[in-house]
């Protein structure tokens, strides 16, 4: 029986820690003293209906009384605690699944049962960020074989909700990433849904880039929809553009992505599990996956891309997905905008068939939409691109795009930031190289994706003839400080754009 001495009165503190569960207690609290709790100890906190695991922060100010306990906003929300409630605290019981993590650290092979136990404990919130980091690192560096990746994928699918559309064909697409501005997904969804196929597109936020599809689409419409709201939109319009995080589709993936972002790590095995678990959980049956290959893209060699292609198609088959992988040019950014608002402007200009619309973004979107139409077997081989072009240029795709946005709650127009600085060429020559990673970092330093209107508007592409003083790109920021921070990085890196 729980001792009364382990019960404390809850006090709301209003402390934001993103999704980290944190508990606050006084250093002279009788529970801290009697239980021997120290700062950063993982402890269990419970009320009459729920319990969570949280990191302990010990304070010595009067913000709390000795008999009171505080929680971070995320912890309070997860526990569903109300004001003046009493909470019980106790030592955290051993987490058995950590034995599997330790086994993987020593490169032992894990099976489905092991992965399922790990993923279950992650979703329950039992893993600290340190535990998550250890799991991610242990799986990085090609340390998962195809069988392990398949088992991890299945465990991640089982960890959350799974949508069932009661239809034979549900299509989807994904890009492995690494190309700034490569925002083809909303255009592809609009084309494919306008054709009549069902495409419930769930996307992630940025991990290591200046914007993810969810960040960009949030500029235009609501993306944080529940699984019930997603179903309503898709039933009405045949497609959606939503953030997968609130839909509880493969929820462990969202927790792992936050740590991967902090570590700046993209483990290939977990990348495959991440992509395919989200597709399967969303009810997809046919998926096109784009792997851009380039010197400064996420995938740098054709050999690596071909290995990923084989693994994606094999794992997809084991979880019931028909997967087609296309390997594309990843030598430079796509479109003009890099950053949520600027990428949203590009998307709208392509869908509206505007003369100034970036041709490379349009062509890549048409190619991928065509591949998806052909994969569905609704269109004969080699006719997909032509069909996609007709749908886009007729205006049907834009009409469908606007309808989906309004079904998701709003249709807003993106704006540019208040502060800007033009970067011009210091000499004449031919533009020979654009460093994807460094131009992405420059956009991030300007404030993207947190500052929606921050980023870069690119004015040139590879092989362009450049004149001295020609505008190369414009930096945008929402504050003068962020703009200056980005400019400091630019001044110390003269290889962002190479002109010879």
């Amino acid at each position: 029986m729980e001792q009364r001495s382990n019960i404390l009165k809850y006090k709301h503190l209003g402390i934001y820690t993103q999704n980290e569960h944190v508990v606050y207690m006084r250093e002279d609290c009788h529970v801290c003293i009697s239980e021997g709790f120290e700062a950063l100890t993982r402890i269990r906190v419970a009320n009459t209906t729920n319990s969570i695991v949280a990191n302990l922060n010990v304070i010595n100010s009067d913000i709390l009384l000795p008999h009171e306990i505080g929680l971070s906003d995320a912890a309070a929300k997860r526990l569903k605690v109300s004001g003046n409630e009493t909470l019980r605290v106790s030592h955290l019981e051993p987490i058995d699944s950590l034995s599997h993590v330790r086994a993987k650290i020593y490169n032992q092979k894990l099976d489905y049962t092991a992965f399922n136990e790990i993923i279950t404990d992650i979703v329950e919130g039992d893993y600290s960020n340190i535990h998550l980091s250890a799991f991610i690192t242990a799986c990085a560096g090609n340390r998962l074989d195809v069988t392990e990746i398949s088992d991890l994928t299945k465990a991640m699918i089982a960890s959350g909700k799974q949508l069932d559309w009661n239809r034979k064909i549900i299509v989807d697409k994904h890009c492995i990433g690494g190309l700034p501005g490569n925002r083809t997904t909303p255009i592809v969804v609009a084309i494919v849904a306008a054709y009549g196929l069902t495409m419930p597109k769930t996307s992630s936020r940025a991990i290591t880039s200046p914007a993810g599809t969810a960040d960009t689409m949030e500029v235009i419409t609501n993306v944080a929809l529940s699984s019930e709201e997603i179903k309503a939109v898709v039933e009405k319009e045949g497609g959606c553009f939503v953030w997968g995080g609130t839909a509880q589709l493969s929820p462990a993936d969202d927790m792992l992505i936050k740590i991967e972002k902090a570590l700046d790590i993209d483990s290939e095995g977990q990348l495959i599990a991440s992509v395919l678990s989200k597709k399967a959980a969303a009810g997809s049956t046919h998926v096109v996956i784009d792997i851009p290959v380039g010197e400064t893209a996420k995938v740098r060699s054709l050999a690596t891309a071909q290995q990923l292609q084989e693994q994606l198609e094999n794992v997809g088959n084991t979880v019931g997905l028909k997967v087609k992988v296309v390997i594309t040019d990843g030598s430079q950014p796509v479109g003009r905008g890099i950053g949520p608002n600027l990428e949203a402007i590009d998307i709208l200009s392509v869908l509206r068939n505007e003369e100034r619309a970036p041709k490379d973004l349009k062509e890549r979107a048409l190619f991928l939409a065509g591949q998806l139409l052909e994969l569905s077997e609704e269109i004969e081989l080699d006719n997909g691109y032509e069909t996609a072009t007709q749908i886009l240029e007729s205006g049907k795709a834009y009409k469908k795009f606007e309808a989906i946005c309004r079904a998701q709650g709003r249709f807003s127009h993106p704006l540019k930031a208040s502060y800007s600085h033009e970067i011009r060429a210091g000499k004449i020559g031919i533009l020979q190289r654009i460093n994807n990673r460094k131009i992405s970092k420059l956009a991030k330093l300007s404030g993207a994706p947190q500052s929606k209107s921050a980023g870069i508007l690119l004015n040139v592409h590879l092989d362009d003839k450049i004149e001295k003083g020609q505008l190369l790109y414009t930096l945008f920021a929402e504050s003068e400080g962020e703009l200056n921070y980005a400019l400091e990085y630019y001044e110390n890196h003269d290889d962002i754009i190479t002109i010879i």
Side-chain angles (χ1 to χ4, degrees):
M1 181 179 291
E2 193 73 54
Q3 295 180 358
R4 291 292 302 175
S5 60
N6 281 29
I7 296 178
L8 298 168
K9 184 178 179 181
Y10 171 69
K11 179 181 180 181
H12 175 68
L13 297 178
I15 298 176
Y16 176 67
T17 58
Q18 289 197 336
N19 292 298
E20 185 75 6
H21 293 171
V22 182
V23 57
Y24 303 90
M25 296 164 63
R26 281 269 292 255
E27 64 178 350
D28 57 350
C29 170
H30 62 280
V31 176
C32 273
I33 296 170
S34 64
E35 295 292 341
F37 290 152
E38 296 180 347
L40 302 184
T41 301
R42 297 276 287 172
I43 65 174
R44 185 166 293 282
V45 184
N47 56 15
T48 56
T49 55
N50 303 296
S51 75
I52 60 168
V53 177
N55 287 327
L56 174 62
N57 278 10
V58 178
I59 64 175
N60 56 16
S61 72
D62 292 335
I63 191 172
L64 287 175
L65 296 174
H67 67 281
E68 292 179 325
I69 183 172
L71 297 173
S72 63
D73 289 348
K77 182 178 180 181
R78 180 67 179 266
L79 193 58
K80 298 180 181 178
V81 67
S82 58
N84 298 319
E85 192 173 349
T86 56
L87 304 178
R88 302 189 311 275
V89 295
S90 59
H91 287 277
L92 178 63
E93 59 276 10
I95 303 173
D96 293 338
S97 67
L98 286 175
S99 65
H100 304 311
V101 175
R102 288 190 288 271
K104 195 62 205 173
I105 288 172
Y106 289 100
N107 212 25
Q108 295 181 32
K109 187 172 179 177
L110 303 184
D111 59 13
Y112 173 78
T113 300
F115 281 118
N116 190 53
E117 289 175 6
I118 291 170
I119 296 300
T120 298
D121 285 342
I122 288 173
V123 173
E124 287 297 316
D126 290 353
Y127 274 37
S128 68
N129 285 347
I130 292 174
H131 297 141
L132 291 171
S133 298
F135 177 58
I136 289 166
T137 306
C139 295
N142 294 317
R143 301 177 88 224
L144 298 178
D145 63 25
V146 172
T147 302
E148 286 181 297
I149 298 170
S150 297
D151 286 340
L152 174 59
T153 304
K154 292 173 184 176
M156 291 174 68
I157 294 169
S159 72
K161 295 181 179 179
Q162 298 174 51
L163 302 181
D164 183 3
W165 302 99
N166 294 316
R167 299 181 193 184
K168 184 179 178 181
I169 296 175
I170 303 294
V171 299
D172 206 341
K173 61 83 61 177
H174 181 81
C175 179
I176 296 301
L179 288 192
N182 188 21
R183 207 52 62 213
T184 58
T185 292
I187 303 169
V188 172
V189 172
I191 292 171
V192 170
Y195 175 79
L197 290 174
T198 303
M199 189 168 179
K201 186 73 185 77
T202 62
S203 301
S204 63
R205 297 190 183 277
I207 301 176
T208 59
S209 67
T213 298
D215 300 303
T216 297
M217 285 306 303
E218 193 170 43
V219 171
I220 302 173
T221 191
N222 303 329
V223 299
L225 274 61
S226 67
S227 55
E228 291 76 18
E229 290 170 329
I230 292 172
K231 279 193 171 184
V233 172
V234 175
E235 290 294 338
K236 182 180 180 182
E237 300 296 344
C240 64
F241 334 93
V242 300
W243 174 46
T246 52
Q248 287 296 296
L249 305 176
S250 184
D253 181 48
D254 300 305
M255 298 176 177
L256 292 169
I257 281 175
K258 290 182 178 69
I259 304 302
E260 288 173 338
K261 181 177 180 179
L263 294 174
D264 200 8
I265 287 178
D266 272 318
S267 162
E268 289 181 4
Q270 287 180 332
L271 180 150
I272 294 168
S274 169
V275 171
L276 297 183
S277 67
K278 282 285 177 70
K279 304 309 173 193
S284 301
T285 60
H286 294 63
V287 183
V288 167
I289 298 177
D290 177 19
I291 305 180
V293 178
E295 181 185 3
T296 56
K298 185 177 291 184
V299 178
R300 301 190 187 187
S301 71
L302 180 60
T304 301
Q306 289 171 335
Q307 181 183 355
L308 266 176
Q309 178 180 29
E310 182 180 357
Q311 291 177 326
L312 281 160
E313 290 176 350
N314 287 340
V315 175
N317 186 56
T318 67
V319 297
L321 294 174
K322 186 174 183 179
V323 175
K324 181 176 183 179
V325 175
V326 293
I327 298 173
T328 58
D329 177 24
S331 59
Q332 62 179 324
V334 178
R336 298 186 64 207
I338 303 172
N341 279 28
L342 297 168
E343 292 174 19
I345 291 170
D346 277 356
I347 290 167
L348 291 171
S349 66
V350 170
L351 286 166
R352 290 167 174 163
N353 295 295
E354 295 175 358
E355 188 175 341
R356 66 183 180 87
K359 292 181 174 58
D360 57 345
L361 178 63
K362 176 181 177 180
E363 288 301 312
R364 190 175 286 254
L366 288 172
F367 167 72
L368 293 170
Q371 291 291 310
L372 204 47
L373 290 171
E374 291 175 12
L375 181 67
S376 73
E377 299 179 354
E378 293 284 314
I379 299 287
E380 291 183 5
L381 291 178
D382 301 323
N383 287 340
Y385 179 89
E386 182 182 352
T387 302
T389 302
Q390 290 172 352
I391 293 169
L392 177 65
E393 294 184 350
S394 69
K396 292 179 181 177
Y398 177 67
K399 184 178 179 181
K400 175 58 68 175
F401 177 87
E402 185 175 356
I404 293 173
C405 289
R406 294 196 185 283
Q408 290 183 200
R410 64 182 169 89
F411 182 70
S412 305
H413 290 83
L415 302 172
K416 291 181 182 177
S418 303
Y419 295 86
S420 64
H421 183 89
E422 294 181 343
I423 303 295
R424 296 185 175 272
K427 62 179 182 180
I428 63 170
I430 303 296
L431 199 160
Q432 293 210 342
R433 186 172 184 264
I434 300 176
N435 191 311
N436 288 312
R437 293 174 183 266
K438 290 191 174 180
I439 206 163
S440 288
K441 185 168 184 178
L442 185 62
K444 287 164 67 179
L445 289 172
S446 73
Q450 288 78 16
S451 299
K452 296 294 187 186
S453 58
I456 291 170
L457 188 62
L458 194 62
N459 212 47
V460 290
H461 287 90
L462 291 181
D463 300 324
D464 284 357
K465 292 182 180 180
I466 305 297
E467 300 295 330
K468 185 175 181 179
Q470 181 177 337
L471 177 63
L472 300 177
Y473 56 90
T474 305
L475 268 172
F476 288 92
E478 292 184 6
S479 72
E480 191 173 1
E482 285 175 319
L483 182 61
N484 290 336
Y485 196 39
L487 287 172
E488 183 180 343
Y489 178 82
Y490 157 74
E491 289 167 359
N492 290 312
H493 294 82
D494 57 4
D495 59 342
I496 295 173
I497 287 183
T498 303
I499 299 170
I500 297 179

